[in-house]
Amino acid sequence: MGYLIKVSPQDIVTSRFAISPLMVTKQALWLLSGKWEAGVWLSWIRQAREPYGRLLAERPGLGPMVSLFRERHYNADFPAPPPDGVNTSFETELSAVRATPAAQAHQEIARNLEGMPRPPEAVLDVLFSPDVVELFADALEAVWARIVSPIWPRVHAILERDVVQRAGRLATYGWAAALDDLNPRVRWRPEGVIEVAPGGQEVALEGRGLLFVPSPFVSGVSSYLEQAWPYAIGYPARGTGITHETPDGLATLIGRTRARVLLELAVPATTSQLVHLLGLSLGTVGGHLAALRGAGLVTGNRTGRGVLYHRTALGDSLVSPSTPLP
């Protein structure tokens, strides 16, 4: 469904960004179950399919939870409640899931099932059991521990990098800059409206702001504009699809590791973010950044307590020879 979201000047102040390890875990299940295409995560999905298959056998709530997944329709809210900030832990989010009353879970599941083919009786027994909340929470905890947490440092760096840049755009330049390249379905209209797909219903923020939730796995945008959630937009994080294949010519010229740093800076990043993105030590990343900066290939701008590095026009042209120099 599309929306026309009316905003006011106050909504810039009250809008915020959040990173949710629990939502990322649930979205990983969409990929692992084949509900979404793997895209740039294909190699990781192939490695994760074996532990996922074992968890399907071990955790009785996992299969029934995945059976509820459906595109462009309501999905039960309680397995992934709205995140609070950029550093909320998985354990904190999971405790909110476990606190869900069974009656609420059953109500959401019944709504989720509307219009779907009737599941097998064994699945329905789980979905409407008194223990469904604990069964779902146990399944999510196991998927996080065995499949998602090993890649979380890199995933968090991707999401944090997107948040730092996009939140800075919103605060400094306003809605048009923050929404630029968010997704082709989302655009800013000068009359003070965020259009999420044309021809949608009108919604007024009235000072409550928007919650922006980036994801490494989604390819489109999702809107949460019901009272059960803060008004929110989920969107694909920039930089998820940055190639890890270093061109031989570039590696020969500046070295393979420096080439990887330069490729990763297709989206600006801090030193600590690059450490997690590349799996290198702080000293190694700092040394390569100093060399690349000395060669005029990258530059840095201080943001708060850190420095955000990005490629110069010369760095862009070296990575993409078709990019003209100014």
Side-chain angles (χ1 to χ4, degrees):
M1 177 187 293
Y3 289 95
L4 299 175
I5 306 171
K6 297 182 179 179
V7 303
S8 66
Q10 178 64 20
D11 289 310
I12 286 185
V13 178
T14 52
S15 290
R16 63 241 185 255
F17 290 77
I19 293 174
S20 172
L22 178 58
M23 287 186 68
V24 168
T25 300
K26 187 180 176 187
Q27 290 163 353
L29 287 172
W30 282 75
L31 296 179
L32 289 163
S33 63
K35 303 278 186 175
W36 287 345
E37 292 186 6
V40 300
W41 295 98
L42 180 58
S43 177
W44 175 70
I45 290 299
R46 285 173 175 165
Q47 296 173 18
R49 280 189 179 133
E50 184 179 348
Y52 172 65
R54 290 198 299 268
L55 288 176
L56 281 172
E58 295 171 8
R59 301 289 173 170
L62 183 54
M65 179 171 60
V66 169
S67 74
L68 293 173
F69 293 173
R70 57 177 181 168
E71 291 270 31
R72 292 182 290 277
H73 292 280
Y74 174 77
N75 285 262
D77 290 311
F78 77 91
D84 292 328
V86 295
N87 290 310
T88 305
S89 69
F90 177 85
E91 292 74 20
T92 298
E93 291 191 299
L94 191 66
S95 67
V97 176
R98 294 191 188 277
T100 306
Q104 176 188 332
H106 292 157
Q107 183 179 30
E108 292 182 10
I109 289 169
R111 180 182 173 189
N112 195 148
L113 289 171
E114 290 175 1
M116 295 181 67
R118 182 180 175 84
E121 291 302 319
V123 172
L124 287 173
D125 287 344
V126 173
L127 294 177
F128 291 101
S129 74
D131 302 324
V132 65
V133 172
E134 286 301 312
L135 291 173
F136 277 24
D138 289 346
L140 288 165
E141 185 174 34
V143 173
W144 164 260
R146 297 197 200 176
I147 298 175
V148 179
S149 64
I151 65 165
W152 181 246
R154 172 170 174 79
V155 168
H156 186 269
I158 290 171
L159 301 180
E160 184 183 56
R161 179 173 60 177
D162 180 278
V163 165
V164 167
Q165 185 179 34
R166 207 172 295 277
R169 286 186 189 177
L170 179 62
T172 306
Y173 302 109
W175 290 106
L179 298 175
D180 181 43
D181 77 9
L182 190 77
N183 188 267
R185 295 178 65 238
V186 180
R187 70 184 184 97
W188 171 251
R189 291 178 17 178
E191 64 267 29
V193 171
I194 299 171
E195 181 181 281
V196 182
Q201 73 178 68
E202 293 187 356
V203 175
L205 294 182
E206 297 178 337
R208 79 189 76 191
L210 269 175
L211 176 66
F212 290 95
V213 186
S215 168
F217 296 141
V218 301
S219 58
V221 294
S222 52
S223 305
Y224 304 90
L225 297 168
E226 299 188 18
Q227 293 304 318
W229 263 67
Y231 283 4
I233 290 179
Y235 66 93
R238 293 183 70 215
T240 299
I242 291 175
T243 181
H244 296 282
E245 298 297 325
T246 306
D248 289 337
L250 182 61
T252 300
L253 183 64
I254 63 174
R256 191 163 297 277
T257 304
R258 287 178 189 171
R260 288 182 63 205
V261 173
L262 200 60
L263 287 169
E264 201 63 62
L265 288 178
V267 179
T270 65
T271 305
S272 60
Q273 288 165 357
L274 288 169
V275 166
H276 291 302
L277 290 165
L278 298 170
L280 301 173
S281 71
L282 184 63
T284 299
V285 171
H288 289 308
L289 282 172
L292 292 169
R293 193 169 187 174
L297 301 179
V298 305
T299 188
N301 300 107
R302 182 160 293 281
T303 57
R305 296 180 180 178
V307 176
L308 196 65
Y309 291 95
H310 58 89
R311 292 197 304 236
T312 62
L314 180 60
D316 284 337
S317 68
L318 194 61
V319 172
S320 302
S322 59
T323 303
L325 289 171

